[in-house]
Amino acid sequence: MNNLPLSGIKVVEIAHIVAGPTAGLILGDLGAEVIKIEPPNALDTSRIGSSRNGSFFFVNRNKSSIVIDLKNPEGLEILYKILEDTDVLIENMAPGTMNRLGIGYKQLSTKFSKLIYLSVKGFLSGPYSNQTSLDELAQMGSGLAYMTGRSGDPIRAGASIVDMGAAMHGIIGVLSALYTRSITQKGQEITSGLFETALFFVGQHMAFNQHTGNENVPLPERHHGWGVYDKFQCIDGELVFIGVTSNNQWNTFCRILELKELANNPELENNPGRIANRPLILKTVTPIIENMESTRILDMLRENGISATLVHTPDTVITDQHVNSGKRLYKFTSDGKDFALPKLPYESSDYEFDESLPAPDKPGLQTNSILKKMGYSDTQISKFFDDNIVQ
């Protein structure tokens, strides 16, 4: 992993749940050394954000864990020593928590002027900036859940897209700050907001309303943009999704499924006509696909350049030939379980994401080795453990 772009960058993460740890995951995958600082009560049942559940092992790979009591002055001194050569600090604690501990940005920047400090918060500056938030609250409050559900029943998306999106936007800020620091030799504070991330995601719908004057309709009830853009049940019980999005694709679709009547219908020559006649198209196409094996219809469509996919669950997608092709997943063992989890979703001509450090299955798994690397003696380390400064 030495040839990764952020090799040599050191990151300290004081974060829990999904948003903050996802920011650390991205930097770790890019080659940074990420030290995750956990509290002494990390496995307390009231602290779900650091419990070793399935999600933890995804968002906390490529990190080492040290347990430090940051409420203890000696614990703070250990943190300060760690920060001496740290480039980036990530936190997503409740508003005011870091300041109360004495490790807010203004407090640390006087000691560590080159430190880049990323906070992932519920809201950016404004009337709500001191309020906490969560992924689902941000989706509800921004209109994103309205677009995802049906009228009268807004619903959150099926993944923590706001948490992860806020982390990604925060990392954009961090990478920009690292570049700026190479010129100015100064760090800076970056804050990413959950609510503002969700707001950004609905920007396209806000623009639609402002441009047309029409109210947005939830996506499940929207008017389709293409004549065929639908799920179909196959004879083997599998669902497939098919998107026919151009005139050439329509002609090909009709040819390979032998839809001569539809192909010769002048009302279906263009997309507006096909949208207007969707009931006719679906009435003709659905029984044909219902009597086909999913693999057959998918092969036929893909071989002819038409977008189509099997409808997967998170449990079955790992069997997909593309996902399981050898480059899409990190494979590792942690907590006695074998994991195969998605890599960052891009490729580079200069490097590959070819290996991953498993997420620490216990808080403080690397406490001893981190302290030794920092130069503490065995006697000092033993005293830290005896005094419950570290674990």
Side-chain angles (χ1 to χ4, degrees):
M1 297 179 70
N2 291 333
N3 66 329
L4 291 173
L6 294 187
S7 294
I9 295 294
K10 181 178 175 181
V11 179
V12 165
E13 177 191 300
I14 305 174
H16 60 161
I17 313 180
V18 175
T22 297
L25 172 153
I26 296 169
L27 295 178
D29 279 12
L30 289 171
E33 175 193 5
V34 182
I35 297 175
K36 184 178 184 67
I37 297 180
E38 301 194 69
N41 59 344
L43 295 184
D44 189 299
T45 54
S46 65
R47 300 183 62 90
I48 61 171
S50 52
S51 63
R52 265 49 180 179
N53 54 25
S55 176
F56 182 92
F57 293 96
F58 175 53
V59 298
N60 288 290
R61 67 181 181 225
N62 284 325
K63 302 175 188 178
S64 54
S65 169
I66 180 172
V67 170
I68 306 176
D69 183 1
L70 296 178
K71 296 179 180 179
N72 187 301
E74 288 187 73
L76 282 179
E77 288 301 319
I78 294 173
L79 173 63
Y80 294 152
K81 190 171 179 61
I82 293 175
L83 291 176
E84 286 176 1
D85 61 348
T86 291
D87 298 285
V88 181
L89 184 147
I90 299 168
E91 66 91 12
N92 70 328
M93 310 308 288
T97 299
M98 298 295 278
N99 288 334
R100 286 194 296 274
L101 290 171
I103 52 177
Y105 174 69
K106 290 182 179 179
Q107 294 154 311
L108 290 181
S109 62
T110 59
K111 293 183 175 69
F112 311 103
S113 61
K114 293 185 177 181
L115 182 66
I116 294 166
Y117 192 106
L118 171 62
S119 295
V120 185
K121 298 300 186 185
F123 299 89
L124 297 183
S125 55
Y128 301 156
S129 58
N130 289 324
Q131 293 188 22
T132 58
S133 189
L134 296 166
D135 188 295
E136 192 156 343
L137 271 72
Q139 293 194 41
M140 293 289 174
S142 64
L144 182 57
Y146 168 84
M147 294 303 300
T148 306
R150 295 187 179 276
S151 294
D153 185 24
I155 190 169
R156 67 161 285 169
S160 299
I161 60 170
V162 172
D163 281 337
M164 293 184 175
M168 293 174 190
H169 294 146
I171 293 303
I172 292 171
V174 166
L175 296 178
S176 300
L178 284 168
Y179 174 76
T180 301
R181 192 185 69 175
S182 70
I183 301 169
T184 65
Q185 303 303 308
K186 293 181 180 179
Q188 59 181 276
E189 183 179 19
I190 303 292
T191 307
S192 177
L194 298 186
F195 175 77
E196 286 75 14
T197 293
L199 193 67
F200 186 83
F201 288 163
V202 298
Q204 65 187 102
H205 304 303
M206 295 168 67
F208 167 81
N209 169 258
Q210 293 165 24
H211 180 255
T212 66
N214 297 325
E215 291 187 2
N216 278 290
V217 176
L219 289 180
E221 301 167 15
R222 74 195 188 284
H223 295 294
H224 284 69
W226 291 283
V228 178
Y229 204 67
D230 298 272
K231 300 183 293 290
F232 298 91
Q233 186 95 39
C234 294
I235 196 169
D236 54 9
E238 298 284 4
L239 273 178
V240 297
F241 187 91
I242 301 170
V244 179
T245 59
S246 71
N247 291 338
N248 286 338
Q249 287 189 5
W250 170 252
N251 294 331
T252 302
F253 184 71
C254 289
R255 175 177 56 80
I256 62 179
L257 290 184
E258 301 180 352
L259 304 171
K260 294 181 181 178
E261 212 172 291
L262 296 184
N264 295 327
N265 187 334
E267 294 184 0
L268 306 179
E269 286 182 351
N270 54 44
N271 193 57
R274 291 191 288 272
I275 293 173
N277 288 278
R278 272 178 51 79
L280 170 64
I281 295 172
L282 294 179
K283 181 180 178 181
T284 306
V285 170
T286 299
I288 295 173
I289 297 176
E290 283 179 343
N291 282 291
M292 298 178 71
E293 295 281 343
S294 57
T295 52
R296 180 166 175 251
I297 183 65
L298 289 174
D299 287 345
M300 290 172 63
L301 296 173
R302 288 169 172 169
E303 287 170 4
N304 285 277
I306 296 175
S307 300
T309 184
L310 194 67
V311 178
H312 277 294
T313 72
D315 308 329
T316 64
V317 71
I318 197 170
T319 65
D320 186 278
Q321 63 177 348
H322 182 77
V323 175
N324 209 30
S325 63
K327 290 190 174 183
R328 302 280 72 81
L329 304 172
Y330 279 129
K331 296 182 179 181
F332 59 88
T333 300
S334 187
D335 198 33
K337 305 289 195 310
D338 293 328
F339 292 93
L341 299 173
K343 299 180 180 181
L344 290 183
Y346 78 88
E347 293 178 332
S348 168
S349 60
D350 284 358
Y351 56 88
E352 291 187 359
F353 302 115
D354 54 4
E355 59 185 82
S356 172
L357 179 69
D361 57 3
K362 296 178 180 62
L365 191 63
Q366 290 87 12
T367 295
N368 197 65
S369 61
I370 291 171
L371 293 174
K372 280 189 174 182
K373 187 177 179 182
M374 292 167 60
Y376 287 109
S377 67
D378 289 341
T379 301
Q380 288 174 305
I381 293 172
S382 294
K383 189 173 188 310
F384 289 148
F385 276 99
D386 291 343
D387 294 344
N388 292 317
I389 308 300
V390 302
Q391 291 179 12

